[in-house]
Amino acid sequence: MATIPTTGRSMAAGRGGQILGNVIFFAILLIVALLIIFPIVMMALQSFQTNQTLYRWPPTVITTEPTLVNWQNLLTRDDLRLPRWIFNSVFVATTQTVVVLFVASLAAYAFARLNFPLKTPLFFLLLLTVMIPQQVLLIPNYLTLRDVGLLGTYGSLIWPGVANVFAVFLLRQFFQSIPRDLEEAAILDGASRFGVYWRIVLPLSVSALVALGIFVFLANWNDLFWPLIVTTDLDMRTLPVGLSILNGTYGPQERGLVLAGALFSTIPVLIVYTIFQRWILKGVSITGGLGGR
């Protein structure tokens, strides 16, 4: 009677264990994905329900009488400037992201490549500012903006976030990984330092710049505390502040209207994550890889 070799049985057992491990892994991922998606789906379904349906018990997941009244009120009420809030958030987040990438990349290139007195102590002093709580800087920043007349303007929403120490640190570490031979060859060909930075370093750092830009954009998009303090005009509010006003004013009475607003604010973030998920993962790997340098 033929017997199965021991090596063959071991390989079959190994493949079986690997398949079982993959099944368990994907089952866990599926459960986690469902837990994340479920609130978004429920928010979307309930935004098309009337208040009477929302407060009915037992709850109705899929209503037989969907309505668009919540969305109509969200876009047409005079005290809800949703299109304006969306424009403010997009404009402020985009502008701050572009300015942060430009300023941080210049500072990072200087710390990575240029030689000047006290470069290393200045860089460590810059890193020490990360330890300062944002609450400590709140009053000085507010008073500075008040003295220069920027309170309640787009400048008050953009400029305080331009000095991004994390962006400088991340780009400096990335620039140091670029071979110096490329820059030296460009300098020998007559390129200036800014020309090397603009034509050599930045094109080679697209992945880091895009990943960092996504992080800066999303952080600004979700910011609530600072825009709430420096803006008082309803037309200057950003989307997170507008949604907090919406929830505080209409939350108890018109839950469907609040859910429609929350879903509307979630859609741009989901689009960004869907389009740039590869860059986001690359940015996470970059920051993780630079942590040990």
Side-chain angles (χ1 to χ4, degrees), residues 72-102:
Q72 292 174 352
N73 292 335
L74 188 68
L75 298 174
T76 58
R77 281 191 177 179
D78 293 335
D79 56 340
L80 298 178
R81 315 288 175 81
L82 188 66
R84 178 71 181 187
W85 297 340
I86 293 175
F87 170 79
N88 291 340
S89 290
V90 171
F91 176 76
V92 170
T94 303
T95 304
Q96 187 181 96
T97 299
V98 173
V99 177
V100 165
L101 290 180
F102 180 69

Side-chain angles (χ1 to χ4, degrees), residues 143-153 156:
L143 294 178
T144 301
L145 292 173
R146 184 200 63 182
D147 293 341
V148 298
L150 288 179
L151 281 181
T153 65
S156 64

Side-chain angles (χ1 to χ4, degrees), residues 234-289:
L234 196 62
D235 287 334
M236 288 302 300
R237 299 293 196 181
T238 56
L239 188 58
V241 180
L243 290 179
S244 66
I245 296 174
L246 175 65
N247 185 45
T249 305
Y250 299 102
Q253 299 85 13
E254 300 185 48
R255 179 59 57 183
L257 180 66
V258 177
L259 292 173
L263 179 63
F264 201 90
S265 66
T266 305
I267 292 175
V269 178
L270 292 178
I271 293 174
V272 170
Y273 271 115
T274 302
I275 296 176
F276 297 103
Q277 57 180 327
R278 180 169 63 91
W279 297 101
I280 294 174
L281 294 176
K282 183 175 292 188
V284 173
S285 64
I286 290 173
T287 55

Side-chain angles (χ1 to χ4, degrees), residues 12 23 105 160 291:
V23 170
S105 61

Side-chain angles (χ1 to χ4, degrees), residues 5-245:
T6 305
T7 304
R9 289 198 299 268
S10 300
M11 293 178 61
R15 286 195 296 269
Q18 184 179 4
I19 294 174
L20 179 61
N22 291 336
V23 170
I24 295 175
F25 177 71
F26 284 111
I28 294 174
L29 289 181
L30 179 61
I31 293 173
V32 173
L34 291 176
L35 291 176
I36 295 174
I37 294 174
F38 178 75
I40 300 176
V41 173
M42 288 297 298
M43 180 171 59
L45 293 175
Q46 292 181 350
S47 67
F48 294 98
Q49 299 180 15
T50 61
N51 287 325
Q52 293 77 9
T53 305
L54 285 174
Y55 290 111
R56 184 181 302 166
W57 187 262
T60 302
V61 178
I62 301 178
T63 180
T64 57
E65 299 177 356
T67 178
L68 293 175
V69 64
N70 295 322
W71 290 90
Q72 292 174 352
N73 292 335
L74 188 68
L75 298 174
T76 58
R77 281 191 177 179
D78 293 335
D79 56 340
L80 298 178
R81 315 288 175 81
L82 188 66
R84 178 71 181 187
W85 297 340
I86 293 175
F87 170 79
N88 291 340
S89 290
V90 171
F91 176 76
V92 170
T94 303
T95 304
Q96 187 181 96
T97 299
V98 173
V99 177
V100 165
L101 290 180
F102 180 69
V103 173
S105 61
L106 283 174
Y109 182 73
F111 281 114
R113 289 292 190 259
L114 302 184
N115 294 319
F116 52 89
L118 302 177
K119 181 177 77 170
T120 301
L122 285 174
F123 181 69
F124 281 107
L125 181 63
L126 184 68
L127 293 181
L128 287 176
T129 61
V130 180
M131 302 175 62
I132 301 176
Q134 293 299 317
Q135 292 79 2
V136 175
L137 302 176
L138 179 64
I139 295 178
N141 286 338
Y142 182 89
L143 294 178
T144 301
L145 292 173
R146 184 200 63 182
D147 293 341
V148 298
L150 288 179
L151 281 181
T153 65
Y154 287 121
S156 64
L157 298 171
I158 296 172
W159 294 117
V162 169
N164 194 314
V165 178
F166 171 75
V168 176
F169 169 75
L170 175 65
L171 292 179
R172 173 190 178 268
Q173 301 300 98
F174 191 86
F175 290 166
Q176 286 184 330
S177 66
I178 298 175
R180 289 179 179 268
D181 297 342
L182 299 175
E183 301 176 46
E184 293 173 355
I187 293 175
L188 290 175
D189 290 338
S192 63
R193 271 297 180 182
F194 185 82
V196 172
Y197 154 81
W198 189 258
R199 295 188 177 93
I200 304 297
V201 176
L202 288 188
L204 294 175
S205 308
V206 172
S207 59
L209 291 171
V210 173
L212 177 62
I214 294 171
F215 293 149
V216 174
F217 180 89
L218 293 178
N220 187 280
W221 178 271
N222 294 320
D223 189 16
L224 169 65
F225 190 55
W226 181 251
L228 180 63
I229 293 175
V230 297
T231 59
T232 55
D233 188 1
L234 196 62
D235 287 334
M236 288 302 300
R237 299 293 196 181
T238 56
L239 188 58
V241 180
L243 290 179
S244 66
I245 296 174

